[in-house]
């Protein structure tokens, strides 16, 4: 500044004042100053776009602008030029001007060469420092605003001083609604006083100098719950005392979801493994029981062939046959499942007298049931001749009816209602047995799933999963209503007379 010449923009409508100033500058070494003089503010502002000035000496009373307005307009047009205001003994307005962007002021008539030099130099230096500060503030603000992270600045008491756009997006507020408010009054926090108290407590911790970080589940802008990585960092002064708090919040819902999926997959995998080994031991057990019956009966028949009466012999043969039937049924179920899993199960509709079919099935099952159980069959409908896949339907109904019997150990009536209307057959099987706990109901149609209240009632957990596959092949629906200790109703709705049902193979390939 001492060697290069300084460009001064002088805005002064009084020719004599302007002359006086130029003379004073001349006394300070004319070659060091380049002065461009204008009388009107508008001309001065225009010139700023054409030339560069190091400083402006600005009279506030001009023909086209008066008072602090002059300062305001000039600053708006050329914010980087340091301003020294020229006044006429009006300290008051001069001080206001300094408060509003002017670097300094000079009182006309009291301007000595030294004062002028010092004022110009300080104003330029201060202007440069301010410019650097502004640029640095710009850079920091850009980072603050442009980061994808939600950020806010709080006082030690938790009052919001600044909040960036991602923060506003996350908390669903407007800048003007947030600034000046305690953080815990934003919507995401104020829905629960426990949360608010917790937030106040961690703000107090951070104000004490501690870095606090937590993962939280909070409602966001549109009331969607989001997982947030939330931290409060104390900003300390050179003595190490916290002066402000920096809040950072990052939506980590995606990460949480991915974590949950991994855990879920792991849990499912483990469950599946457990179920498989349960299944293997259950199947072995289910086979072993009838095998033991057969072995014992055969041994007895072999050893005591001559001592046994014909009646005793036929009793043992009967036991062997029942045991063989049980094993065959189990084998059938496993094979059925295997076929359906391999996509080999077909839907093959044939004409069927539905009422007759159901009534015969009822009689067969009734024969196998104990006298404590009574199956009450009823049929309603305009038509009884339908087209369905007889094998699949037999499977469905046999399974549901035998479940109803099996899971009513104390006996009782089992209602089997069939309603055949339009193109739909509705089958309802209602028992008053042990019922199914609500928590188990969802997964009963999955293979190997059994309810938690089965106790010692035998079963493999395969029946319903097969039923479900058969129902799907009919493009039907199955649902259940159940209450523990009261009973269970299974309802199956099947589309009748449709020929376009797909094989499971096709269904599964989608
Ligand atoms: P199986 O393969 O021999 O049929 P299961 O009867 O255990 O074995 P599913 O028929 O698939 O298997 O039934 C699954 C589970 O649903 C049963 O273990 C039982 O917990 C529950 N359940 C099914 N029907 C009834 C019912 N009518 N009342 C109470 N619980 C039932
Ligand atoms: Mg069953």
């Amino acid at each position: 500044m001492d060697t290069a010449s300084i460009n001064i923009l002088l805005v002064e409508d009084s020719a004599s004042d302007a002359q006086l100033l130029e003379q004073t500058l001349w006394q300070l070494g004319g070659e060091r100053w380049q002065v461009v003089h204008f009388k009107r503010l508008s001309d001065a502002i225009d010139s700023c776009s054409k030339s560069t000035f190091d400083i402006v000496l600005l009279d506030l009373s001009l023909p086209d602008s008066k008072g602090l307005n002059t300062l305001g307009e000039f600053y708006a047009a050329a914010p980087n030029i340091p301003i020294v205001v020229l006044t006429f003994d009006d300290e008051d307005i001069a001080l206001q001007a300094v408060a509003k962007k002017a670097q300094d002021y000079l009182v006309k008539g009291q301007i000595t060469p030294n004062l002028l030099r010092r004022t110009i130099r300080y104003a330029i230096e201060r202007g440069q420092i301010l410019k650097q500060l502004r640029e640095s503030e710009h850079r920091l603000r850009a980072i603050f605003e442009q980061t994808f992270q939600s950020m806010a600045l709080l006082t030690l008491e938790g009052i919001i001083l600044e909040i960036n756009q991602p923060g506003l997006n996350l908390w669903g507020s407007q800048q003007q609604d947030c600034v000046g408010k305690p953080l815990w009054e934003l919507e995401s926090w104020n829905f629960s006083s426990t949360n608010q108290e917790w937030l106040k407590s961690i703000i107090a911790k951070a104000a004490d100098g501690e870095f606090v970080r937590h993962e939280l589940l909070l409602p966001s802008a549109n009331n969607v719950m989001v997982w947030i990585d939330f931290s409060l960092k104390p900003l300390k002064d050179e003595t190490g005392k916290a002066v402000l708090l920096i809040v950072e919040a990052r939506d980590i819902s995606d990460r949480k979801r991915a974590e949950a999926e991994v855990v879920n997959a792991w849990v499912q995998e483990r469950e599946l493994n457990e179920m498989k080994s349960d299944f293997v031991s259950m199947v072995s057990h289910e086979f072993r029981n009838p095998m033991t019956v057969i072995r014992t009966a055969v041994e007895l028949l072999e050893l005591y062939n001559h001592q046994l009466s014909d009646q005793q012999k036929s009793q043992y043969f009967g036991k062997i046959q029942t045991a063989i039937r049980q094993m065959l049924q189990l084998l059938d179920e496993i094979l059925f499942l295997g076929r359906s899993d391999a996509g080999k199960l077909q839907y093959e509709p044939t004409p069927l007298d539905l009422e007759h079919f159901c009534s015969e099935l009822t009689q067969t099952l009734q024969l196998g049931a104990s006298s404590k159980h009574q199956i009450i069959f009823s049929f309603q409908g305009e038509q009884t001749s339908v087209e369905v896949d007889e094998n699949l339907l037999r499977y469905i109904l046999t399974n549901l009816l035998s479940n109803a019997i099996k899971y009513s150990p104390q006996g009782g009536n089992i209602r089997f209602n069939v309603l055949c209307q339009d193109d739909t057959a509705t089958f309802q099987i209602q028992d008053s047995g042990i019922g199914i706990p609500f928590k188990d109901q969802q997964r009963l149609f999955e293979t190997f799933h059994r309810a938690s209240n089965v106790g010692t009632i035998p079963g493999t957990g395969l029946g319903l999963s097969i039923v479900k596959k058969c129902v799907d092949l009919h493009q039907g629906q199955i649902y259940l209503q159940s209450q523990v200790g009261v009973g269970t109703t299974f309802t199956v709705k099947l589309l009748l007379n449709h020929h376009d049902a797909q094989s499971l193979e096709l269904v599964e390939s989608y």
Side-chain angles (χ1 to χ4, degrees), residues 269-286:
E269 168 98 19
R270 210 183 52 183
E271 273 184 7
L272 200 69
N273 283 339
E274 277 170 11
M275 279 189 303
K276 276 183 186 157
S277 67
D278 280 359
F279 173 70
V280 171
S281 56
M282 197 151 16
V283 168
S284 328
H285 177 79
E286 297 280 311

Side-chain angles (χ1 to χ4, degrees), residues 152 154 157-160 163 171 178 181-190 196 199 203 230 232 247:
L154 305 186
E157 292 73 37
I159 309 293
I160 302 169
I163 183 162
W171 312 114
C178 289
K181 255 191 187 178
L183 183 62
W184 54 83
E185 300 222 330
L186 297 192
E187 250 174 65
S188 295
W189 297 95
N190 72 7
Q196 286 186 311
L199 179 59
I203 285 177
F230 180 84
L232 280 171
V247 182

